[in-house]
Amino acid sequence: MHTKTISELAAALRAGEFSSEELTRAYLERIQLLDPKINSYITVAEEQALAMARAADARFATGEVMPLTGIPIAQKDIFCTEGVKTTCGSRMLDNFVAPYNATTVERFNADGAVLLGKTNMDEFAMGSSNETSFYGPVHNPWNTDTVPGGSSGGAAACIAARLAPAATGTDTGGSIRQPAALCGITGLKPTYGRVSRYGMIAFASSLDQAGPMTRTAEDAAIMLNTMAGFDTRDSTSVERDVPDYSASLNDSIEGLKIGLPKEYFGEGLDAEVGRQVEAAIKEFEGLGATVQAISLPNTHLAVPTYYVVAPAECSSNLSRFDGARFGYRCDKPVDLEDMYKRSRGEGFGAEVKRRIMIGTYALSAGYYDAYYLKAQRIRQLISDDFRQAFDKVDVIMGPTSPDVAFGIGEKADDPITMYLSDIYTIACNLAGLPGMSIPAGFARDLPVGLQMIGNYFDEARLLNVAHRFQQATDWHSRAPEAFK
Ligand code: GLN
């Protein structure tokens, strides 16, 4: 059962080949047996999962079924789940059980999906390797000495290891796409505002966006059909019709105009990764697409701009974790100030503290204009680069990550090198555009991801283009030897 995609599982459930309870039990057993090797889950919601599976089986009897009814999925541990712990990968929330569900979680529940558990992640989604989690690093199933990427590293690893058919992720600067690339799965970051952020613990509110992580584009379309849509509880969610993302998957891509930004193929890109990505792009030409060179001249400013904007927003968002209202509180505070200082000092890890300090500095009265305001201006220039590019092309393609998975510990003490892992993914968040990563080959026996960036609200096209590629190739169906 664990080798099937969502669409195959849905067909098997409908045909009565097995029940959702049997399917859920099979996944729970696999998790128990194999997750100790990769640490992809923080919480496994065994009892709730079985209860939800039985409720889904009852729905099959009455005929009220949706494509996700009875399908087990994992939620990144950044989404609030009523009755199941939500830690955000932090000691700060180690004891936090939300009294409500995130809108995304509600939508999966309404469709009758089964919550298997909550996946491991970098603390408060800050990281590119899943090494900043309070719950320990996640190991990449393709080589357990390497990182799975981050921050949605648990989600990517559990899908690659067949410990869930699909999962949710969030992407502030690459956290869906980069781990998808490093683990050889499919991941989509939608347009900013397409998916509600209500109940998703905020890192950098103007950049955060939730999206599906799956084995195939076909499954990502099914997941996005459930996730996307306006939410009155999120003022930045966009009131705009949601197309049926599954309906256009098979459309022809004859005449599709692909732009290759020269800045995404230059210095810093691993040669073998570059060759694999170029070979994948040839495949699109074989499917009728045309390719042209483009330029996104402000690309080199994306990482520095992000590392002003994201920490600034995080310093504000994370001020609510003060030991007073919820989450971690230090032992026996002597007074209020001691409680704040020690609760925050002990509750947050080093990377989160680094970001809070950078952000507080950038927003301080004397430096606001020099850093935050300047960064906002450059952000506009980066968006303009894309606007001009999309006058000429339909989709932008390139590598998702400059290299394949790196060794655990290799970049942990070098934040700047770590930050460069997102050099091709961050601009997309600054502009609010949708981006996707799909498996496109291997380099040194580790997966390589191809990134596709689309125009605003063009998720249906990204999914269509990705699906056509996956019909013509089999990179997405490879599985790591120890997890077949
Ligand atoms: N790696 C980037 C960071 O550390 C992006 C993280 C994300 O997208 N959540 O901030």
Side-chain angles (χ1 to χ4, degrees), residues 76 125-128 150-151 170-175 203 306-307 355 422:
K76 183 175 180 178
M126 299 173 198
S128 307
S151 64
T170 63
D171 191 313
T172 304
S175 279
F203 161 15
Y306 174 89
Y307 279 99
R355 307 270 181 118
D422 298 312

Side-chain angles (χ1 to χ4, degrees), residues 27 43 95 113 163 170 172 185 208 249 336 360 389 419 455 468:
Y27 269 109
T43 302
N95 62 5
L163 303 185
T170 63
T172 304
I185 65 151
D208 299 342
L249 286 173
L336 186 64
T360 306
Y419 295 170
N455 211 339
R468 294 304 298 234

Side-chain angles (χ1 to χ4, degrees), residues 68-142:
L68 286 172
T69 307
I71 307 286
I73 61 142
Q75 293 280 356
K76 183 175 180 178
D77 210 13
I78 197 168
F79 292 97
C80 288
T81 43
E82 194 180 348
V84 178
K85 205 167 78 152
T86 300
T87 71
C88 225
S90 182
R91 181 183 196 191
M92 190 53 99
L93 291 176
D94 186 39
N95 62 5
F96 178 58
V97 179
Y100 68 103
N101 281 321
T103 296
T104 291
V105 173
E106 277 296 318
R107 286 171 175 264
F108 281 107
N109 288 353
D111 282 5
V114 172
L115 172 66
L116 275 178
K118 310 289 294 286
T119 60
N120 204 342
M121 54 181 285
D122 278 301
E123 185 177 10
F124 284 101
M126 299 173 198
S128 307
S129 65
N130 217 122
E131 291 167 292
T132 72
S133 170
F134 176 61
Y135 302 92
V138 174
H139 301 255
N140 189 320
W142 290 94

